[in-house]
Structure formats: C-alpha cells, structure tokens
Amino acid sequence: MSHERSIKNIPKWLIAFLVLALVTQIAYKYLSHQSNFKFKQLSSPLPSKIYSLLSFGEDRAISKALLVQLQSFDSQDGKKIKYSNINYDNIIKWLDVYSELDPKSEYHLLLASQIYSMAPERKKKLQMLNYVYRKFHDNPNQYWKWLSQSALIAKHRLNDTELALKFAKAIRVHATGENVPPWARQMEVFLLENLGEYRSAEIVLGGLIESGVIKDEKEKIFLLQKLSELKQMSNSKQQSNNKQKGVEK
Amino acid sequence: MKQYISVIASYTVIEAIRNRFLWLLGALILFSILISLFIADLALIEADKFQLSFLPAILRIGSVFICSLIVITGTTRDFQDKNHELALSTSITRTQFLLGKLFGYFVISIIFSLTVFISLLIFSDFIPALIWSISLLCELFIITSISLLFAAIMNQVVFSITATVCFYLLSRLITSLVMISNSSLNDQDALSNIVISWIIKAVSYVLPDLSLFTKTEWITDSLYEWNNLSTPLIQALIYIVLISAISLFDFNRKNI
C-alpha cells in the first residue's frame, strides 16, 4: 500500500485555497518591496568583543560576515545608495571592528583606499586616506602598499601633494622590510622632485642611501645617479634664484 | 466542526501542561532576568539599557526555540503513537484534527507571549512592551505553524528541529542576503551572480521577513509606533494561512 494518496483525493477547495494563499504571500512581498523606499543610515557597530562573544569565538567568520554586510550597504531594497549619503564616521568604526576581529587581514584597507575613497566629497576622501595612514602604523611592512595607493590618490585626485608627501615619508621611515619594493621607499624623493623641491629631495635620497636600507647594488647605482641629477638641478635652481635676486637689486 | 477543533485544541494544551511546559517557561523567564541583571551589573553606565538590550533578545530566542520544540515533539509523538489514527477513526475529519492541533499550539504561544509581556513590564514601559509582545506572538504563530508542518511531513524530531531552525535563521537573514547579492561591488554581469541573485530573491518572496518582527530597539530606544505592528500582523496572517494550507494538503495525502 502506498504511503500517500493520489492528489485526486485532496478536496478541490483545499488546492484552490493553497494556491490562493501562495499567490497572496508572493503578492504581499512584492508590494511591500515596491512601497516607499526609506533610506536606512549605517548604524554604529558594537564593540568587537560583543561580536566575538556572539560568534562563540569564531572571530574570523563573523568578521567576514560583518564586512560583507558593510560593503553591501550601498544597495538597499535594490536601490544604489551614493557614498555621499552614508555616515563615514560609522564606516571607520566598522572597519576598526573588522581589523580587531581579524588583525592579519588587509581587506579593511582595501575598502578604505579603493572603495570608500571614491566618494565625491573631499572631506570623505580625506577621512579614508587618513584612516589608511593611521592603520599603516600597525604593520608598516605589510600595509605599505595601501598607503602608497593613498599617496597616489592624494596627489592625483585631491591635488594635495603635501598629504602625498606625508604618506610617502611614512613609508620611507617605517616600511623598512625587505619585501618593500624600492619604488615605494623612493616615492617621497620623486614627489619632492615633482614639487621642484630639489634640495629636499637630495637630502631625503642621501639619507635613504646612507641608512643602509638599500641592499640591492643596482638600486644603489640608480639612486646615486639620481642623487647627482638632483644636485645638479638644485644647483641650477640656486643659480637662477641668485640671478633673479641680482636683477631685482 | 468548531466543537471537534476546540476539543482537540484543549487536549493539545493539556498534554503540553502535563509535559511541564509551564515549568520550562518559568525557567526561561528566570534565566533571562538573571542573565540581564548580571550583565547590567557589569556595565559602568547605562545599566538599564544594557539590561533592556539583552532581556528581550534572550526571551525572543528562547520562546521561539521552546515553542518549536513543544510542537515538534508533541506532533511527532502523536504520529508515532498513532494517536492521529485513533482520532480519525471517529467522525473527526483530517482538517478538523490538524486545525485543532494548530489552535492548541497557538494557545500555548499566547501563554508564552503573555508571560513574556508581564516579565518585560518589570523593566520596560507598558506600550513598547505591549507592541513588542504582540509582534512576538505573531512570530510564535509563524514558527508554530511551520514546526507543525515539518513535524507532520518528516515524523522525525531531529529532522524537524533542524528544518525549523534553518527556516528561522533564513527568515531572519533573508533581507541581508538579498542586500548582499545585489551589492554593487559584485560583478553584476557574471551569470553565476545573476542566477544566485534571482534564487535569493525568489526565496525571499516565499519567506516571512522576520527581521522586521520583534525589534529590541522598540524597547531600548523607545523607537516604537503602533505602525510597527502592521507588518508582523499582516505577514503572520498570510503566512499562517499559507502554511496551514500546505499542512492540510500534505495531511490529506497521507494514507491513514
């Protein structure tokens, strides 16, 4: 004997009732999605210890879940939310919580330097770049690449060479590991040269060579050549300044 | 018809009482209050907010879990002891039997919500506690219906509880899952992302959005309005009818 009776034994009213109930459910959900959209602002996170507790010690798992939710926040009810509308102070708090739960990850710096820095407002861009600068000091030899990208964003998108110089100097001073590529250490020098600050560039580059950080012989040769070029530029700039002063007198 | 349904409902409630569910309810209330008092004691400031943040959350999860266990174990026992065959050998129809069981478990849900409401009044104002408790009742009605459905289909306690827990978690998280699948940082043109996004959206249409129910902020931040109840009430009504229809459909197909 079969465990189930045929569908023909089911009362017709019950089948109709079931179909009607299912259609009502789907229609209700569809209409509630179509209703007036209310933007939900990003709230402040709880302390990281609470999330650690709630996840029964699975810090890595909950950190990823929280970050995925954060990066999806700009899509609400199928609508795209501009970064301009999102509270950036809270974004920074969420990124901090993530880094506490997963200290070895660099994802928060990726989001700060590459995603959230795309906001059109200068203030928000600066917030993100300064956040990367702050976190860089936690592990300079690992995080240098995010700060170097932030330096490029500061120079080319914000036209703030002073800020780019500050970031580049931090990389030169703190990111002294062997995995840090030469161009990152030398970034400050090229920025100074770009600014016409040949004397300063000469001093920085001289210091870099003297410090013994440069291990590669080819890199040393290249930098020594660069140093002599900077000296020449610095001297010619000094001479032209003196001529101008002479003319003015 | 109403007479048979009320008899089965009352026997369902009596069975639950004899299985000491009131003791379990009391233990849940006591445990929740003690934990929240302990946590409030640890707080340096805003102790009352700490307490109000934890107490509703623990009561909500505890009530949902215990209610679903009562329904699943009771129904599974009925099916395994062939009590349903005994009842159906009389003039009681399948519809009356199932609806009787459902209403009996609804009464248990009402007892839960009422007790939770009274215990919340110790720490919270009347109106927010009332709104929150009504929403909890709607949530318990949904969980009760779905637990009965799973128990009737699967006839196994472990499978039924697992299915109910999965349903509950998915219903609580479905809004977040839809948001994540629509994220602008995903590759929107990839076929896999499109398919996944569609599947998640389709699932969201047939699940109740429990993240809109029974929010702790209604009590802690006084962010309550009577309007907050419109979604829980409407969704609970539609969903109970839908799940009851599915349960009746399945029960009518059983060869008893």
Side-chain angles (χ1 to χ4, degrees):
Chain A
M1 190 169 72
S2 162
H3 289 293
E4 283 186 340
R5 302 193 296 178
S6 162
I7 290 180
K8 291 176 193 170
N9 295 111
I10 311 290
K12 298 280 184 291
W13 68 264
L14 182 55
I15 296 174
F17 191 63
L18 175 57
V19 170
L20 182 64
L22 186 61
V23 167
T24 308
Q25 164 68 20
I26 294 170
Y28 171 69
K29 289 303 287 281
Y30 178 77
L31 289 171
S32 59
H33 284 156
Q34 302 298 317
S35 62
N36 289 336
F37 169 70
K38 270 184 195 170
F39 165 65
K40 188 180 154 192
Q41 183 55 269
L42 182 67
S43 59
S44 187
L46 299 172
S48 58
K49 295 271 184 284
I50 301 289
Y51 292 115
S52 183
L53 196 70
L54 290 171
S55 67
F56 298 105
E58 295 285 352
D59 290 2
R60 299 294 183 269
I62 199 159
S63 68
K64 303 303 177 214
L66 292 174
L67 204 69
V68 164
Q69 183 141 25
L70 174 67
Q71 76 181 35
S72 312
F73 190 80
D74 62 328
S75 169
Q76 290 185 22
D77 209 19
K79 293 176 177 50
K80 298 286 180 270
I81 309 298
K82 291 180 187 173
Y83 289 140
S84 312
N85 296 334
I86 303 178
N87 184 329
Y88 263 46
D89 294 330
N90 285 343
I91 288 181
I92 287 173
K93 287 178 189 172
W94 278 104
L95 294 177
D96 275 335
V97 164
Y98 174 76
S99 67
E100 284 165 24
L101 290 169
D102 193 352
K104 291 201 185 322
S105 172
E106 300 175 28
Y107 205 109
H108 54 305
L109 295 173
L110 166 82
L111 288 181
S113 62
Q114 302 298 307
I115 307 299
Y116 293 119
S117 66
M118 290 199 301
E121 291 84 359
R122 185 183 176 85
K123 182 189 166 192
K124 290 192 172 185
K125 279 190 168 67
L126 278 171
Q127 260 185 301
M128 284 298 124
L129 298 184
N130 284 324
Y131 173 76
V132 175
Y133 178 70
R134 175 165 62 87
K135 296 306 272 184
F136 162 78
H137 291 93
D138 292 346
N139 191 346
N141 289 330
Q142 188 183 352
Y143 296 157
W144 62 268
K145 50 179 148 337
W146 307 113
L147 192 61
S148 65
Q149 289 184 20
S150 299
L152 292 172
I153 292 169
K155 170 123 179 43
H156 296 289
R157 286 205 215 142
L158 292 176
N159 294 320
D160 190 341
T161 315
E162 291 300 320
L163 186 65
L165 264 172
K166 177 183 166 188
F167 292 166
K169 183 181 176 184
I171 295 172
R172 175 180 63 80
V173 171
H174 298 290
T176 53
E178 288 181 2
N179 60 315
V180 181
W183 64 262
R185 283 196 294 265
Q186 296 155 16
M187 194 187 280
E188 186 190 7
V189 174
F190 292 106
L191 282 170
L192 284 167
E193 186 185 355
N194 202 241
L195 269 179
E197 300 283 342
Y198 301 117
R199 184 69 187 136
S200 304
E202 189 189 328
I203 293 168
V204 169
L205 186 51
L208 191 63
I209 295 168
E210 293 283 314
S211 68
V213 169
I214 316 293
K215 302 273 190 265
D216 187 71
E217 283 305 314
K218 286 187 177 175
E219 189 186 347
K220 263 189 200 166
I221 295 167
F222 169 74
L223 290 177
L224 284 167
Q225 282 175 346
K226 190 74 193 168
L227 187 59
S228 84
E229 280 174 25
L230 284 170
K231 277 181 182 165
Q232 283 177 0
M233 285 183 208
S234 173
N235 288 337
S236 57
K237 188 180 176 185
Q238 185 67 36
Q239 281 169 7
S240 67
N241 283 345
N242 289 341
K243 275 183 186 173
Q244 257 190 332
K245 281 180 188 170
V247 166
E248 280 167 12
K249 279 180 188 172
Chain B
M1 179 179 176
K2 283 182 194 171
Q3 188 186 0
Y4 291 137
I5 291 174
S6 60
V7 164
I8 294 169
S10 57
Y11 271 112
T12 305
V13 175
I14 290 167
E15 185 198 356
I17 292 172
R18 283 188 182 153
N19 284 328
R20 297 185 178 84
F21 100 89
L22 291 172
W23 284 91
L24 206 50
L25 176 57
L28 171 67
I29 303 291
L30 187 64
F31 174 76
S32 307
I33 292 175
L34 288 175
I35 286 283
S36 60
L37 284 172
F38 170 67
I39 289 168
D41 214 32
L42 297 174
L44 297 174
I45 57 169
E46 296 182 348
D48 52 343
K49 281 204 171 175
F50 266 77
Q51 192 167 57
L52 276 179
S53 298
F54 278 91
L55 181 61
I58 299 171
L59 286 172
R60 181 186 183 184
I61 299 289
S63 303
V64 163
F65 183 63
I66 294 173
C67 268
S68 63
L69 275 179
I70 289 170
V71 173
I72 288 168
T73 52
T75 308
T76 308
R77 194 182 320 117
D78 268 346
F79 276 86
Q80 286 175 353
D81 294 347
K82 312 285 183 195
N83 291 336
H84 63 296
E85 288 183 16
L86 185 64
L88 293 173
S89 65
T90 64
S91 53
I92 299 172
T93 64
R94 293 175 188 232
T95 303
Q96 288 164 351
F97 178 79
L98 206 64
L99 287 181
K101 296 295 286 183
L102 189 64
F103 288 137
Y105 291 127
F106 279 173
V107 169
I108 292 168
S109 301
I110 291 170
I111 295 171
F112 260 89
S113 297
L114 203 57
T115 316
V116 165
F117 169 61
I118 292 166
S119 59
L120 269 180
L121 281 179
I122 303 169
F123 305 99
S124 169
D125 295 332
F126 185 84
I127 301 290
L130 180 65
I131 292 173
W132 190 92
S133 301
I134 293 172
S135 179
L136 176 67
L137 180 63
C138 296
E139 190 170 336
L140 289 178
F141 278 173
I142 291 175
I143 293 300
T144 300
S145 316
I146 208 75
S147 300
L148 183 64
L149 172 67
F150 287 144
I153 290 175
M154 295 176 191
N155 290 334
Q156 298 274 345
V157 172
V158 172
F159 286 137
S160 306
I161 290 172
T162 307
T164 306
V165 167
C166 291
F167 168 84
Y168 185 67
L169 289 176
L170 197 55
S171 300
R172 288 283 296 260
L173 297 173
I174 195 65
T175 309
S176 300
L177 290 173
V178 169
M179 192 168 77
I180 289 166
S181 69
N182 287 335
S183 169
S184 58
L185 296 177
N186 293 343
D187 180 4
Q188 298 290 329
D189 295 328
L191 182 63
S192 57
N193 280 339
I194 293 171
V195 169
I196 290 169
S197 186
W198 270 99
I199 290 171
I200 292 175
K201 204 166 184 182
V203 168
S204 76
Y205 275 113
V206 292
L207 286 180
D209 189 356
L210 292 184
S211 64
L212 298 175
F213 286 52
T214 330
K215 291 188 176 186
T216 305
E217 67 209 41
W218 295 346
I219 297 178
T220 57
D221 300 338
S222 299
L223 291 172
Y224 60 89
E225 293 173 352
W226 284 103
N227 235 0
N228 294 141
L229 284 176
S230 59
T231 300
L233 285 170
I234 296 171
Q235 177 65 99
L237 181 65
I238 295 171
Y239 216 73
I240 289 163
V241 167
L242 172 63
I243 298 302
S244 304
I246 298 173
S247 303
L248 285 170
F249 182 89
D250 177 75
F251 197 52
N252 273 282
R253 285 204 66 195
K254 283 192 190 308
N255 217 350
I256 300 167

